[in-house]
Amino acid sequence: MSHIIKAITKEVQDKLTPMLVLEDFIEGNSRFTENKANTADYKALITQTTTGQHPKAIVLSCIDSRVPVELIFDQTIGDVFVARVAGNFENTDILGSMEFASKLTGTKLIVVLGHTACGAVKGACDHARLGNLTGLIKKIEPAVAAVIDPKEEALRNSGNIDFVNEVAVKNVLMTIDSIRAKSEVLAEMEQKGEIKIIGGMYDINKGIVNFYK
């Protein structure tokens, strides 16, 4: 545990690799779960980031209030871009944000972060329909169809938490595939080793993130 007084500089960012950032996230999550998170001089960090930012990663997360992205990875001001939408799926705006973060701002890692007991995924499992939520749910439903077991229709709903969590994982993996397919910029950067696109699942019961490389 340490006291963070300096924001990430361009020089520091340039020396980072995708694997170094991933290792930092893994170690940060361990500190979080062990209640040993770093402290920070927020006033100093605000001042240092007034004229620019050099984050190490961008995380696509669900909006769930139980998944505070910076906290669970023990990150602070200037460390991480965060895009949030219920169900943590990609769309054109989020892809553009990822391209901005990676190609123009120099981030090294893209994390698609799902979580257990996700309300949006539960809605997709139940094929919920409600106003503008309907369109959002439909974007997650392909992940529901992609999870083959259980085959019994009575078990393929939000009442089966194991099924819900399997769909959440599948949604993360399908979102990663979609990012690579829909963004030539990010796909090329990953092929060159400039960035890495990975998935993660946050366990709301334990605070632990399991990664899918």
Side-chain angles (χ1 to χ4, degrees):
M1 184 171 66
S2 61
H3 186 60
I4 308 300
I5 60 174
K6 292 184 178 180
I8 296 177
T9 63
K10 183 68 166 61
E11 291 72 25
V12 170
Q13 187 195 57
D14 286 343
K15 293 178 181 178
L16 293 173
T17 66
M19 287 308 299
L20 283 175
V21 178
L22 177 57
E23 289 169 9
D24 180 59
F25 270 32
I26 292 171
E27 292 170 1
N29 183 239
S30 294
R31 290 193 299 273
F32 170 74
T33 57
E34 294 169 6
N35 213 25
K36 296 179 180 179
N38 292 322
T39 59
D41 184 337
Y42 295 122
K43 186 175 182 180
L45 296 176
I46 289 170
T47 299
Q48 292 167 31
T49 54
T50 298
T51 57
Q53 59 176 335
H54 308 285
K56 63 186 78 169
I58 177 168
V59 180
L60 169 57
S61 172
C62 182
I63 65 168
D64 198 292
S65 64
R66 299 166 294 179
V67 191
V69 174
E70 289 90 344
L71 295 181
I72 67 176
F73 291 122
D74 193 21
Q75 304 297 312
T76 189
I77 295 171
D79 285 349
V80 187
F81 285 115
V82 181
R84 304 190 72 151
V85 63
N88 45 267
F89 57 85
E90 104 298 331
N91 59 28
T92 301
D93 297 323
I94 288 174
L95 286 172
S97 298
M98 290 178 172
E99 291 171 353
F100 166 77
S102 302
K103 191 69 174 180
L104 300 182
T105 316
T107 57
K108 310 296 183 179
L109 187 69
I110 295 176
V111 181
V112 178
L113 183 66
H115 66 95
T116 58
C118 178
V121 171
K122 287 181 179 180
C125 291
D126 291 341
H127 304 288
R129 297 292 183 263
L130 175 65
N132 290 303
L133 181 60
T134 300
L136 184 149
I137 291 298
K138 287 182 178 179
K139 291 180 174 67
I140 306 172
E141 286 179 345
V144 178
V147 175
I148 299 174
D149 293 320
K151 294 181 175 61
E152 299 85 352
E153 198 61 36
L155 297 176
R156 298 178 63 83
N157 55 60
S158 63
N160 183 349
I161 193 61
D162 290 334
F163 178 63
V164 169
N165 292 339
E166 282 296 318
V167 172
V169 172
K170 180 62 71 173
N171 183 52
V172 166
L173 298 176
M174 291 177 71
T175 298
I176 291 172
D177 289 342
S178 187
I179 291 169
R180 290 172 176 147
K182 293 180 180 180
S183 173
E184 294 181 6
V185 172
L186 298 176
E188 181 180 3
M189 290 185 73
E190 186 173 37
Q191 289 169 2
K192 291 181 177 179
E194 297 171 348
I195 64 169
K196 179 64 180 171
I197 307 171
I198 64 168
M201 278 293 294
Y202 177 74
D203 188 324
I204 64 168
N205 296 306
K206 300 177 181 178
I208 296 172
V209 177
N210 292 308
F211 288 99
Y212 300 87
K213 300 179 183 179

